[in-house]
Amino acid sequence: MKKLTVLASFVVAFFMFSCQKESSQEEGTPTEASQKEAWLTANLDAKFAASQKQVTAYLFPTSELAKLVQTPNVTEVRFVLGYADNTLQIQVDGVDKAGKKLGSVNSSLLKESAYDAKLAALKEVSDNTTKKRSALLKKHLLVSKEAFGWIEAWQNKLSTVKDLEEVTSYDGLRIRHFNLEAEVVAAMLKTNTANIGVFLGLNTKGKVTTILVGLDKNNAIKKASLTAKDPDDVYDGTRPSPPY
């Protein structure tokens, strides 16, 4: 009887430990959780605007993104927003159909004050409209000139330090993350694309959104080919949460 009691206690203890471990994996690291919470209550004032205006883009190495989207059962990626040092932070989570996190990639902040000349490549060329793309890619494809306008609009909004709360929220609830099918990211992971640059912009609804642009090793806008003048495909169509 005593042996049975000890065995039962061991089984219960093991079960409790397993549950605690699973729970801690779902919650993520303390730093990650604290940054998410900080973003939801951050004061989007002049100090934030000045700091955020220094951020050109968020860089995600294609080698790490490739591993993420190739992870079994990853169907979507989430661009998760956080807040630290008066600046928006972004990481990419790979999730399954149920929304369970299966992996993540952290970004590095690109701060390049003279980046305007590189960014201008988006508005100086015409997009390749004859290129074959899947229906999903066409759905998320963004005209390069329009992408430039959206990015510029976000920078202008930061300069005015006006309505920042409004453009980062839906119905009074601040955006937590943006969702996008993993297939779109996979299509951008081409040879000689060193990073996927995630730029922030204001869409046609006047809300902040993420714009995905392929960048070369010098973080210049990636061209469709060595001889092409048009940039590689630029994507948006990310679904903000809330409201979706």
Side-chain angles (χ1 to χ4, degrees), residues 27-45:
E27 293 173 358
T29 63
T31 301
E32 177 187 325
S34 65
Q35 287 188 359
K36 290 179 183 178
E37 290 301 318
W39 163 242
L40 297 179
T41 58
N43 185 14
L44 306 186
D45 55 10

PDB file of all heavy atoms in Angstrom, residues 27-45:
ATOM      1  N   GLU A  27       3.627  31.003 -22.765  1.00  0.00           N
ATOM      2  CA  GLU A  27       3.718  32.398 -22.343  1.00  0.00           C
ATOM      3  C   GLU A  27       4.947  33.104 -22.915  1.00  0.00           C
ATOM      4  O   GLU A  27       4.986  34.323 -22.979  1.00  0.00           O
ATOM      5  CB  GLU A  27       3.767  32.467 -20.809  1.00  0.00           C
ATOM      6  CG  GLU A  27       2.469  32.031 -20.152  1.00  0.00           C
ATOM      7  CD  GLU A  27       2.589  31.934 -18.652  1.00  0.00           C
ATOM      8  OE1 GLU A  27       3.695  32.182 -18.132  1.00  0.00           O
ATOM      9  OE2 GLU A  27       1.580  31.608 -18.004  1.00  0.00           O
ATOM     10  N   GLY A  28       5.945  32.351 -23.341  1.00  0.00           N
ATOM     11  CA  GLY A  28       7.154  32.960 -23.865  1.00  0.00           C
ATOM     12  C   GLY A  28       8.068  33.428 -22.752  1.00  0.00           C
ATOM     13  O   GLY A  28       7.804  33.227 -21.568  1.00  0.00           O
ATOM     14  N   THR A  29       9.164  34.049 -23.127  1.00  0.00           N
ATOM     15  CA  THR A  29      10.132  34.515 -22.139  1.00  0.00           C
ATOM     16  C   THR A  29       9.604  35.757 -21.439  1.00  0.00           C
ATOM     17  O   THR A  29       8.803  36.500 -21.996  1.00  0.00           O
ATOM     18  CB  THR A  29      11.469  34.857 -22.820  1.00  0.00           C
ATOM     19  OG1 THR A  29      11.249  35.940 -23.738  1.00  0.00           O
ATOM     20  CG2 THR A  29      12.020  33.672 -23.588  1.00  0.00           C
ATOM     21  N   PRO A  30      10.058  36.020 -20.208  1.00  0.00           N
ATOM     22  CA  PRO A  30       9.611  37.209 -19.476  1.00  0.00           C
ATOM     23  C   PRO A  30       9.862  38.508 -20.235  1.00  0.00           C
ATOM     24  O   PRO A  30       9.045  39.404 -20.235  1.00  0.00           O
ATOM     25  CB  PRO A  30      10.432  37.138 -18.189  1.00  0.00           C
ATOM     26  CG  PRO A  30      10.730  35.691 -18.008  1.00  0.00           C
ATOM     27  CD  PRO A  30      10.918  35.162 -19.398  1.00  0.00           C
ATOM     28  N   THR A  31      11.019  38.605 -20.914  1.00  0.00           N
ATOM     29  CA  THR A  31      11.340  39.823 -21.661  1.00  0.00           C
ATOM     30  C   THR A  31      10.330  40.046 -22.777  1.00  0.00           C
ATOM     31  O   THR A  31       9.823  41.141 -22.979  1.00  0.00           O
ATOM     32  CB  THR A  31      12.756  39.724 -22.270  1.00  0.00           C
ATOM     33  OG1 THR A  31      13.695  39.529 -21.214  1.00  0.00           O
ATOM     34  CG2 THR A  31      13.099  40.989 -23.031  1.00  0.00           C
ATOM     35  N   GLU A  32      10.023  38.979 -23.507  1.00  0.00           N
ATOM     36  CA  GLU A  32       9.069  39.070 -24.607  1.00  0.00           C
ATOM     37  C   GLU A  32       7.699  39.503 -24.093  1.00  0.00           C
ATOM     38  O   GLU A  32       7.064  40.391 -24.653  1.00  0.00           O
ATOM     39  CB  GLU A  32       8.972  37.714 -25.294  1.00  0.00           C
ATOM     40  CG  GLU A  32       7.953  37.651 -26.417  1.00  0.00           C
ATOM     41  CD  GLU A  32       7.781  36.243 -26.942  1.00  0.00           C
ATOM     42  OE1 GLU A  32       8.771  35.495 -26.980  1.00  0.00           O
ATOM     43  OE2 GLU A  32       6.644  35.894 -27.308  1.00  0.00           O
ATOM     44  N   ALA A  33       7.251  38.880 -23.022  1.00  0.00           N
ATOM     45  CA  ALA A  33       5.943  39.202 -22.461  1.00  0.00           C
ATOM     46  C   ALA A  33       5.893  40.639 -21.959  1.00  0.00           C
ATOM     47  O   ALA A  33       4.905  41.349 -22.165  1.00  0.00           O
ATOM     48  CB  ALA A  33       5.615  38.233 -21.325  1.00  0.00           C
ATOM     49  N   SER A  34       6.949  41.085 -21.321  1.00  0.00           N
ATOM     50  CA  SER A  34       6.969  42.443 -20.775  1.00  0.00           C
ATOM     51  C   SER A  34       6.957  43.487 -21.885  1.00  0.00           C
ATOM     52  O   SER A  34       6.338  44.545 -21.752  1.00  0.00           O
ATOM     53  CB  SER A  34       8.197  42.637 -19.877  1.00  0.00           C
ATOM     54  OG  SER A  34       9.398  42.536 -20.627  1.00  0.00           O
ATOM     55  N   GLN A  35       7.625  43.193 -22.992  1.00  0.00           N
ATOM     56  CA  GLN A  35       7.630  44.130 -24.117  1.00  0.00           C
ATOM     57  C   GLN A  35       6.250  44.227 -24.760  1.00  0.00           C
ATOM     58  O   GLN A  35       5.818  45.312 -25.162  1.00  0.00           O
ATOM     59  CB  GLN A  35       8.667  43.706 -25.157  1.00  0.00           C
ATOM     60  CG  GLN A  35      10.100  43.958 -24.731  1.00  0.00           C
ATOM     61  CD  GLN A  35      11.091  43.711 -25.858  1.00  0.00           C
ATOM     62  OE1 GLN A  35      10.712  43.330 -26.962  1.00  0.00           O
ATOM     63  NE2 GLN A  35      12.356  43.938 -25.576  1.00  0.00           N
ATOM     64  N   LYS A  36       5.559  43.105 -24.853  1.00  0.00           N
ATOM     65  CA  LYS A  36       4.198  43.116 -25.404  1.00  0.00           C
ATOM     66  C   LYS A  36       3.279  43.959 -24.534  1.00  0.00           C
ATOM     67  O   LYS A  36       2.494  44.771 -25.037  1.00  0.00           O
ATOM     68  CB  LYS A  36       3.654  41.689 -25.492  1.00  0.00           C
ATOM     69  CG  LYS A  36       4.307  40.815 -26.544  1.00  0.00           C
ATOM     70  CD  LYS A  36       3.696  39.419 -26.499  1.00  0.00           C
ATOM     71  CE  LYS A  36       4.367  38.479 -27.474  1.00  0.00           C
ATOM     72  NZ  LYS A  36       3.805  37.108 -27.387  1.00  0.00           N
ATOM     73  N   GLU A  37       3.362  43.749 -23.231  1.00  0.00           N
ATOM     74  CA  GLU A  37       2.524  44.506 -22.303  1.00  0.00           C
ATOM     75  C   GLU A  37       2.879  45.986 -22.333  1.00  0.00           C
ATOM     76  O   GLU A  37       2.004  46.853 -22.259  1.00  0.00           O
ATOM     77  CB  GLU A  37       2.684  43.947 -20.880  1.00  0.00           C
ATOM     78  CG  GLU A  37       2.071  42.573 -20.678  1.00  0.00           C
ATOM     79  CD  GLU A  37       0.582  42.548 -20.965  1.00  0.00           C
ATOM     80  OE1 GLU A  37      -0.119  43.495 -20.549  1.00  0.00           O
ATOM     81  OE2 GLU A  37       0.112  41.601 -21.614  1.00  0.00           O
ATOM     82  N   ALA A  38       4.167  46.288 -22.436  1.00  0.00           N
ATOM     83  CA  ALA A  38       4.615  47.680 -22.466  1.00  0.00           C
ATOM     84  C   ALA A  38       4.051  48.412 -23.680  1.00  0.00           C
ATOM     85  O   ALA A  38       3.695  49.592 -23.600  1.00  0.00           O
ATOM     86  CB  ALA A  38       6.144  47.741 -22.467  1.00  0.00           C
ATOM     87  N   TRP A  39       3.950  47.698 -24.815  1.00  0.00           N
ATOM     88  CA  TRP A  39       3.422  48.327 -26.026  1.00  0.00           C
ATOM     89  C   TRP A  39       1.957  48.720 -25.853  1.00  0.00           C
ATOM     90  O   TRP A  39       1.518  49.773 -26.317  1.00  0.00           O
ATOM     91  CB  TRP A  39       3.568  47.387 -27.219  1.00  0.00           C
ATOM     92  CG  TRP A  39       2.713  47.764 -28.396  1.00  0.00           C
ATOM     93  CD1 TRP A  39       1.716  47.035 -28.957  1.00  0.00           C
ATOM     94  CD2 TRP A  39       2.771  48.985 -29.146  1.00  0.00           C
ATOM     95  NE1 TRP A  39       1.143  47.709 -29.997  1.00  0.00           N
ATOM     96  CE2 TRP A  39       1.776  48.921 -30.141  1.00  0.00           C
ATOM     97  CE3 TRP A  39       3.564  50.131 -29.064  1.00  0.00           C
ATOM     98  CZ2 TRP A  39       1.552  49.948 -31.052  1.00  0.00           C
ATOM     99  CZ3 TRP A  39       3.340  51.166 -29.971  1.00  0.00           C
ATOM    100  CH2 TRP A  39       2.352  51.064 -30.951  1.00  0.00           C
ATOM    101  N   LEU A  40       1.186  47.914 -25.175  1.00  0.00           N
ATOM    102  CA  LEU A  40      -0.244  48.167 -25.027  1.00  0.00           C
ATOM    103  C   LEU A  40      -0.537  49.415 -24.197  1.00  0.00           C
ATOM    104  O   LEU A  40      -1.606  50.012 -24.326  1.00  0.00           O
ATOM    105  CB  LEU A  40      -0.929  46.951 -24.390  1.00  0.00           C
ATOM    106  CG  LEU A  40      -0.881  45.659 -25.209  1.00  0.00           C
ATOM    107  CD1 LEU A  40      -1.573  44.533 -24.460  1.00  0.00           C
ATOM    108  CD2 LEU A  40      -1.502  45.857 -26.583  1.00  0.00           C
ATOM    109  N   THR A  41       0.414  49.811 -23.362  1.00  0.00           N
ATOM    110  CA  THR A  41       0.191  50.974 -22.487  1.00  0.00           C
ATOM    111  C   THR A  41       1.186  52.104 -22.750  1.00  0.00           C
ATOM    112  O   THR A  41       1.191  53.099 -22.031  1.00  0.00           O
ATOM    113  CB  THR A  41       0.296  50.549 -21.011  1.00  0.00           C
ATOM    114  OG1 THR A  41       1.584  49.960 -20.775  1.00  0.00           O
ATOM    115  CG2 THR A  41      -0.791  49.540 -20.658  1.00  0.00           C
ATOM    116  N   ALA A  42       2.023  51.954 -23.769  1.00  0.00           N
ATOM    117  CA  ALA A  42       3.058  52.960 -24.040  1.00  0.00           C
ATOM    118  C   ALA A  42       2.443  54.310 -24.394  1.00  0.00           C
ATOM    119  O   ALA A  42       1.428  54.384 -25.094  1.00  0.00           O
ATOM    120  CB  ALA A  42       3.955  52.483 -25.176  1.00  0.00           C
ATOM    121  N   ASN A  43       3.076  55.357 -23.924  1.00  0.00           N
ATOM    122  CA  ASN A  43       2.647  56.717 -24.236  1.00  0.00           C
ATOM    123  C   ASN A  43       3.285  57.133 -25.561  1.00  0.00           C
ATOM    124  O   ASN A  43       4.499  57.311 -25.645  1.00  0.00           O
ATOM    125  CB  ASN A  43       3.078  57.667 -23.110  1.00  0.00           C
ATOM    126  CG  ASN A  43       2.559  59.080 -23.328  1.00  0.00           C
ATOM    127  OD1 ASN A  43       1.679  59.304 -24.159  1.00  0.00           O
ATOM    128  ND2 ASN A  43       3.101  60.029 -22.594  1.00  0.00           N
ATOM    129  N   LEU A  44       2.468  57.276 -26.585  1.00  0.00           N
ATOM    130  CA  LEU A  44       2.991  57.601 -27.911  1.00  0.00           C
ATOM    131  C   LEU A  44       3.136  59.112 -28.052  1.00  0.00           C
ATOM    132  O   LEU A  44       2.412  59.774 -28.797  1.00  0.00           O
ATOM    133  CB  LEU A  44       2.068  57.024 -28.990  1.00  0.00           C
ATOM    134  CG  LEU A  44       1.771  55.521 -28.864  1.00  0.00           C
ATOM    135  CD1 LEU A  44       0.986  55.029 -30.063  1.00  0.00           C
ATOM    136  CD2 LEU A  44       3.052  54.717 -28.693  1.00  0.00           C
ATOM    137  N   ASP A  45       4.120  59.629 -27.350  1.00  0.00           N
ATOM    138  CA  ASP A  45       4.334  61.072 -27.285  1.00  0.00           C
ATOM    139  C   ASP A  45       5.508  61.492 -28.170  1.00  0.00           C
ATOM    140  O   ASP A  45       5.982  60.719 -29.012  1.00  0.00           O
ATOM    141  CB  ASP A  45       4.577  61.493 -25.831  1.00  0.00           C
ATOM    142  CG  ASP A  45       5.724  60.700 -25.195  1.00  0.00           C
ATOM    143  OD1 ASP A  45       6.436  59.970 -25.924  1.00  0.00           O
ATOM    144  OD2 ASP A  45       5.909  60.817 -23.968  1.00  0.00           O
TER     145      ASP A  45
END
